[in-house]
Amino acid sequence: MRLQVSKLQSPLAGPYSFALEAGRCLTISGPSGAGKSLLLRMLCDLDPNTGEILLDGAPRSGMSAPEWRAQVVYQPAEPAWWLPTAGAHFKPHQIQRVHELLPQLKLTPTLLEHEVSRLSTGERQRMALIRSLACNPKVLLLDEPTAALDPESVSATEALLRREIDADMSLILVTHSTAQAQTLGQRHMTMRDRALHEGTP
């Protein structure tokens, strides 16, 4: 089992218990404010929480926070950028992977040198996904990754995520799109009142 979550909770949400296999996608839907983003932040250990998570059988409590977050990568709905250009956010060993991913999301390498502020919202969102995938995560936590994208870019993003899932990455996807949930997810859960329920609404 890739991810085993047991009694994960914070003062604001939970407890949550579920499991996710390698090479599978769990989609989570629900109204705004239900606690979906809170769950993702707890899974990557950004918000205070209790409970235990196992990654390929290894407990999160036995890892440092940077070690955990290198394998369980969280991409928020509005990703942060802290350097002037998109390309400056990548490490040298990631560049080959970045150049493999760019055309799959209809992006050109020249965008790496543009100031982030000059990129469109959709370009930033797709570039953030490349930044996340360049880490080669075992588990990717995505919060509305296609919210700002046109239909062609949505299709390209979904196709890329399907390939990554087929290559053994596990994905937890927060989405308001029932069609996207059906396209990508093998398992679906709904968040209501900060509690998880099996199935789509």
Side-chain angles (χ1 to χ4, degrees), residues 114-148:
H114 290 183
E115 290 188 10
V116 173
S117 59
R118 289 179 53 201
L119 301 180
S120 71
T121 303
E123 287 170 339
R124 287 197 301 272
Q125 197 160 36
R126 283 175 286 162
M127 198 67 78
L129 179 57
I130 290 174
R131 191 175 71 192
S132 296
L133 291 173
C135 298
N136 293 319
K138 290 184 176 181
V139 180
L140 181 58
L141 312 172
L142 292 181
D143 196 348
E144 293 287 342
T146 60

Side-chain angles (χ1 to χ4, degrees), residues 150-186:
D150 60 79
E152 182 182 6
S153 296
V154 171
S155 296
T157 299
E158 291 175 350
L160 172 57
L161 290 174
R162 276 197 299 271
R163 289 190 288 272
E164 295 297 315
I165 294 165
D166 290 343
D168 208 39
M169 183 187 77
S170 298
L171 173 63
I172 298 179
L173 172 68
V174 167
T175 179
H176 286 295
S177 169
T178 301
Q180 185 170 80
Q182 297 295 338
T183 296
L184 290 173
Q186 289 88 23

